[in-house]
Amino acid sequence: MTVLQASLRQHLVSLLSEVAPMDEQQLRRETWALFEQQKEPWLEGTLKAWRAALKSAEQRHVSKSPGNHLELVSTESVENRMLASRMALALMEVAASEVNDLRKRLKYLESVQELSVQDIVHPEVLILAMVEQWLACGMPLESWTLVNQVVQRHINTHWRQVYAECNADLVAQGVLPVIPVESRQKSKSGVSPSAPPAAQGQENYPSGAYPSQNYMPGNPAPGGASGGSNQGAPAIFPRHYPGWPVLSGADGLPQSDAHGMDVLTRVGRLIPGNYSAQNFSAAVQRGPSAQLMSALAQRPLPGDAWGGASGDEQPLPVLMVAQVAGELQQKSAELKKLAQNDNEKAIIELITLMFQSILQEDRIPPEIRVWFARLQMPVLSMALQDPDFFNRQNHPARLLIDHMGSCALGFDASNIKSEELATEIKRVVQVVEQYPDAGDRVYERVYEEFKEFLKNYLTQKTASQKFVGVAEQVEQKETLAIQCTIELRNLIKDMPVRDDIRDFLYKVWSEVIAVASMRQGGQHVATLALKKTATDLIWAASAKLNRADRVQVIADLPELLKSLRTGMSLLGLSPEIQDGHIKVISDILADAFMSKAQAIDKVQIQALAERLAHLENYFSTDGSEELPLDAQSIEDLLEIDASDLEVVTCGGVEASPVMLAWAKNLSLGAWFSLDYHEQLVQVQYVWRSPLGYLHLFSSVLGRRYLIQTARLAAYLEAGMLRPQEEALLTERATRDALTQLETNPERLLG
């Protein structure tokens, strides 16, 4: 912990000097300041919590069987546990054998079948203490995102060694020198059968992800649109058109009507003897039986049937999908026998048919479909308790499945690598399984994590990374310059300022302030000095009607001219151009000594200086205006061949506010058909800039398209950018399930 503490301090200090959006810079500064104050209490608190965990459950007043009673669990507690579990999974990727061997030896020593889930041997117990003490010291969970990777690297290296040393100590004392072969074979990927959920399935998990972007209405994917799906655009956007969002209510989120009728109402009408469809929905609201929920709490299938095997023992993916489909049907049949009423049977059958439809989606790679199938039982458990799942297209579980599906549908296993996506989907499913009682909260959390994963995954190629990094700086600089110009115009519009000085401030000095803010931060000493130079110049160039003011201008002039040259040098202006600006300004300052015009009051100058000092607080970045970008300027900034980059600056029609709102909330990973220069191209949405002005799409051939928000909305309005899928994955699955049930209603209760 002492070594980690020093590493975190060094890391946070280094972040202060890196370029980042303004809100990110603020978080970094606040985190560094808090860490400096609380690093010792955090270290001491973590060590104290670890020592307390060494005590027995009785000494710590911990229940041995937490599952035997009900209790309320705070959202913060659930998030902390999920974060700890995620980091434990990443550790298990590199230290599975060491951790599992130590568990086996401790169980052998204590003569128990299972270790307590709160035993300190479990990595997630150790990590949870670190996270909880971090929060207990007053540092927000958002600040953990800044140090997560450093902590993960540290524990992956040091904790593996610690577990190995513990095993070596026990072996030296004669404790289980050799782990029985059959014990290892029970877990082909190195996981102990008795390991808690956080330790299961440790193959290649990313170290974590954090909350990120907004919800996107619609998750399109390629390959399955009907022949006419790419022709034209909806004449009136709010009407229902598959694959396009339908905005309703103040929240702006789409609602699916499943062919215009409540799903449960339609199912209720199919149940024999159910004289009123409302009876069905009312009965569902009473909640499922305890017997059924108890059966669902058990793991539905053995791990090996879900892709847990490795190497030559792994069955062919297509055969695996067929095997899983058969076992799920068998499991569903067993659950229907345990159901105590027709309503429970109907929901079991509906969910079964929905997931059968997903399993039959052959455009999703088989190895990913298997992990989708594993969600069937957790989703069934939730749907029995929360029937809104069927009718809310924006239900967190549906958002998660739809978004993962939209990304997976775009992959052709023959020519596009999808291993990392499959690994992330596997991780997401396992986290959901760990928290069967968390309701939709766990889906909300892992959905945010999945979106954060996509932000990194979709731009991981070297060329894209370099482009994205430069594009972010270009966006920030251009946005700051535009906003600074607007603010300066508003601030001095009623002041008696010479036109030449106005032009210099708008065209040159706003750029200076923007570049300085981007590189050093808006509140850096050097940036504040350049902001002050603007007000000094305005005052110096105004009429000087008394001797005291003229004396002050003469005294301050050398420093003013020096600051002006410093700012212009920051822009890379040549000495000749700088001399031209300085000459014009010097002539104006000389005229000000003899001018009889109205002087600018120092109170006005002081108010202007205070406003400029905190200029970034008044900026608005809604993305509705286009920045002055073109392909050549991007190529010059990249200093690489940008022949594969298209900066889309024309086309489309005037966009409505609704389309502009949709353009700002597209979902990363979604697939579209782009009509560009009379060519139809299949593209994936891979990047949204931090300020929301720029959007990057990539074709399967590697060509990239950079589009600003206003232009993107114009393309959506004109139908020149269209989702390739006509409906969301869960919407299609629900539709297929209802069709089968209406054709053969007897299967509802069979």
Side-chain angles (χ1 to χ4, degrees):
M1 278 297 295
T2 304
V3 174
L4 175 59
Q5 182 194 55
S7 298
L8 292 185
R9 184 181 186 280
Q10 182 179 359
H11 174 68
L12 290 173
V13 170
S14 68
L15 286 179
L16 296 177
S17 61
E18 295 181 6
V19 175
M22 284 176 285
D23 55 348
E24 179 73 9
Q25 290 177 347
Q26 181 68 22
L27 177 62
R28 291 177 179 182
R29 287 192 294 268
E30 292 175 354
T31 302
W32 171 78
L34 280 171
F35 186 79
E36 285 296 304
Q37 298 173 5
Q38 300 295 332
K39 60 179 182 292
E40 292 302 328
W42 177 58
L43 184 148
E44 294 170 2
T46 301
L47 297 181
K48 183 178 180 180
W50 285 351
R51 294 188 187 102
L54 288 171
K55 299 178 181 178
S56 66
E58 290 81 359
Q59 290 174 302
R60 289 183 282 125
H61 305 289
V62 174
S63 171
K64 293 182 180 179
S65 54
N68 292 337
H69 66 280
L70 297 175
E71 61 178 344
L72 293 175
V73 181
S74 67
T75 300
E76 180 182 88
S77 177
V78 172
E79 291 183 348
N80 294 346
R81 293 178 190 175
M82 290 170 65
L83 173 59
S85 296
R86 186 171 59 247
M87 296 182 69
L89 285 171
L91 172 65
M92 293 297 288
E93 180 183 347
V94 298
S97 60
E98 290 86 352
V99 174
N100 288 327
D101 285 355
L102 184 56
R103 286 173 172 149
K104 292 184 181 73
R105 290 190 168 97
L106 292 179
K107 286 190 291 184
Y108 173 83
L109 269 179
E110 300 182 10
S111 300
V112 295
Q113 291 292 324
E114 299 291 342
L115 296 171
S116 166
V117 294
Q118 296 175 340
D119 195 298
I120 196 172
V121 72
H122 304 311
E124 58 270 25
V125 174
L126 295 169
I127 298 170
L128 182 60
M130 296 170 65
V131 175
E132 289 180 337
Q133 291 303 313
W134 181 273
L135 299 177
C137 291
M139 291 182 280
L141 190 59
E142 291 78 10
S143 66
W144 184 269
T145 65
L146 300 178
V147 302
N148 187 82
Q149 291 186 353
V150 177
V151 176
Q152 190 71 66
R153 285 196 301 268
H154 178 85
I155 66 177
N156 284 1
T157 301
H158 293 273
W159 289 15
R160 180 182 184 181
Q161 181 181 353
V162 169
Y163 277 99
E165 291 174 354
C166 291
N167 278 303
D169 288 344
L170 291 177
V171 170
Q173 298 296 324
V175 179
L176 209 62
V178 178
I179 304 292
V181 175
E182 57 272 15
S183 177
R184 294 186 186 277
Q185 288 178 337
K186 289 180 182 179
S187 181
K188 294 181 175 64
S189 46
V191 184
S192 168
S194 60
Q200 297 175 10
Q202 66 278 21
E203 301 173 0
N204 304 318
Y205 290 102
S207 60
Y210 317 107
S212 61
Q213 304 294 333
N214 295 329
Y215 164 70
M216 166 274 198
N219 291 291
S226 63
S229 65
N230 293 322
Q231 299 174 4
I236 302 175
F237 174 72
R239 73 181 174 128
H240 181 66
Y241 188 91
W244 294 78
V246 179
L247 304 186
S248 63
D251 58 0
L253 293 174
Q255 304 295 324
S256 173
D257 60 2
H259 293 282
M261 186 183 295
D262 181 284
V263 173
L264 294 181
T265 299
R266 292 178 64 176
V267 173
R269 291 179 177 178
L270 299 175
I271 298 177
N274 189 21
Y275 59 90
S276 171
Q278 281 69 34
N279 291 347
F280 177 73
S281 296
V284 169
Q285 296 293 344
R286 289 197 293 268
S289 62
Q291 181 183 13
L292 182 57
M293 295 307 294
S294 176
L296 276 169
Q298 303 173 17
R299 192 180 183 89
L301 293 177
D304 295 351
W306 301 90
S310 59
D312 296 335
E313 299 171 353
Q314 177 79 18
L316 294 174
V318 176
L319 296 178
M320 187 198 310
V321 171
Q323 176 189 356
V324 169
E327 296 192 24
L328 281 172
Q329 285 182 320
Q330 180 181 352
K331 180 67 175 178
S332 297
E334 295 172 357
L335 290 172
K336 289 175 76 172
K337 293 178 181 178
L338 295 173
Q340 294 186 350
N341 54 59
D342 293 345
N343 309 303
E344 292 178 352
K345 292 180 181 179
I347 289 182
I348 293 171
E349 186 64 25
L350 182 57
I351 291 291
T352 299
L353 291 175
M354 288 178 63
F355 276 87
Q356 280 184 6
S357 175
I358 294 174
L359 272 177
Q360 292 168 4
E361 181 56 80
D362 56 9
R363 288 174 297 142
I364 299 178
E367 61 272 19
I368 294 180
R369 264 184 281 164
V370 168
W371 287 96
F372 271 95
R374 190 159 172 167
L375 282 173
Q376 177 172 329
M377 294 306 159
V379 168
L380 172 57
S381 177
M382 183 194 59
L384 285 164
Q385 302 173 78
D386 182 12
D388 281 348
F389 167 81
F390 294 104
N391 293 313
R392 280 182 54 204
Q393 188 171 300
N394 63 342
H395 190 284
R398 294 187 64 166
L399 293 181
L400 175 67
I401 296 171
D402 287 334
H403 200 163
M404 293 193 304
S406 73
C407 297
L409 280 163
F411 283 95
D412 178 353
S414 64
N415 57 27
I416 299 179
K417 299 294 184 182
S418 59
E419 288 86 351
E420 291 184 61
L421 179 64
T423 297
E424 174 63 10
I425 290 175
K426 183 192 303 183
R427 183 198 69 81
V428 165
V429 172
Q430 290 182 320
V431 173
V432 169
E433 289 181 321
Q434 290 176 43
Y435 298 95
D437 300 324
D440 57 8
R441 287 183 297 174
V442 66
Y443 293 95
E444 291 174 352
R445 181 69 181 202
V446 295
Y447 181 45
E448 295 297 334
E449 293 174 357
F450 181 72
K451 290 189 291 186
E452 187 67 24
F453 158 79
L454 287 176
K455 288 174 62 179
N456 300 319
Y457 168 68
L458 293 171
T459 57
Q460 64 185 0
K461 294 182 180 179
T462 304
S464 293
Q465 283 182 335
K466 184 173 183 179
F467 168 76
V468 165
V470 174
E472 287 181 0
Q473 295 182 50
V474 171
E475 176 198 48
Q476 189 175 2
K477 179 256 186 183
E478 295 292 350
T479 303
L480 286 170
I482 291 173
Q483 296 282 355
C484 186
T485 301
I486 293 172
E487 278 296 319
L488 281 171
R489 287 182 187 276
N490 292 333
L491 290 172
I492 66 176
K493 64 181 180 180
D494 297 326
M495 292 184 181
V497 179
R498 292 275 295 266
D499 289 342
D500 289 337
I501 296 296
R502 290 179 187 270
D503 289 344
F504 178 79
L505 290 172
Y506 300 156
K507 297 177 181 179
V508 178
W509 211 249
S510 61
E511 293 267 342
V512 170
I513 294 175
V515 172
S517 299
M518 181 192 69
R519 294 182 180 177
Q520 301 162 158
Q523 295 302 304
H524 191 276
V525 174
T527 305
L528 290 173
L530 294 172
K531 290 178 179 179
K532 183 176 182 299
T533 298
T535 54
D536 290 346
L537 176 60
I538 292 171
W539 184 77
S542 65
K544 296 294 171 286
L545 304 181
N546 59 70
R547 185 174 182 277
D549 288 345
R550 291 194 288 269
V551 170
Q552 183 177 344
V553 169
I554 294 172
D556 295 343
L557 185 59
E559 191 63 32
L560 175 62
L561 295 177
K562 179 182 177 181
S563 182
L564 289 171
R565 287 194 178 275
T566 298
M568 290 187 287
S569 298
L570 194 63
L571 297 183
L573 299 183
S574 65
E576 293 77 16
I577 294 177
Q578 292 187 33
D579 290 342
H581 287 304
I582 293 296
K583 183 179 185 306
V584 171
I585 290 172
S586 298
D587 291 342
I588 292 174
L589 294 181
D591 291 343
F593 274 66
M594 296 176 287
S595 175
K596 301 301 181 181
Q598 178 185 356
I600 299 178
D601 192 275
K602 285 190 175 182
V603 175
Q604 288 181 286
I605 292 295
Q606 182 61 35
L608 175 61
E610 292 177 359
R611 177 85 174 187
L612 285 178
H614 300 90
L615 195 60
E616 55 274 8
N617 295 339
Y618 310 106
F619 286 172
S620 171
T621 56
D622 61 4
S624 59
E625 298 181 4
E626 290 192 283
L627 305 176
L629 298 180
D630 57 63
Q632 185 59 50
S633 63
I634 293 291
E635 184 167 345
D636 292 342
L637 286 164
L638 285 169
E639 297 182 350
I640 61 172
D641 178 18
S643 57
D644 286 335
L645 173 67
E646 292 281 354
V647 179
V648 181
T649 57
C650 60
V653 297
E654 184 176 354
S656 65
V658 174
M659 279 296 184
L660 184 61
W662 188 30
K664 295 175 183 177
N665 291 284
L666 294 182
S667 183
L668 290 176
W671 289 84
F672 293 81
S673 290
L674 172 65
D675 185 355
Y676 185 66
H677 289 171
E678 298 183 352
Q679 290 186 342
L680 202 61
V681 186
Q682 176 183 313
V683 294
Q684 186 180 30
Y685 183 40
V686 299
W687 177 73
R688 176 193 295 111
S689 64
L691 297 179
Y693 274 94
L694 304 179
H695 308 263
L696 183 65
F697 294 78
S698 179
S699 73
V700 293
L701 300 178
R703 193 161 187 79
R704 295 183 294 275
Y705 300 84
L706 183 68
I707 311 178
Q708 298 191 49
T709 299
R711 185 66 52 185
L712 179 60
Y715 267 62
L716 290 169
E717 188 77 52
M720 297 171 68
L721 185 71
R722 298 177 59 83
Q724 286 203 285
E725 280 301 297
E726 290 190 338
L728 306 178
L729 187 60
T730 57
E731 185 178 350
R732 291 200 305 273
T734 304
R735 183 188 305 156
D736 292 345
L738 289 172
T739 300
Q740 293 188 59
L741 290 175
E742 289 169 346
T743 303
N744 182 17
E746 289 78 13
R747 68 184 303 162
L748 272 172
L749 307 181

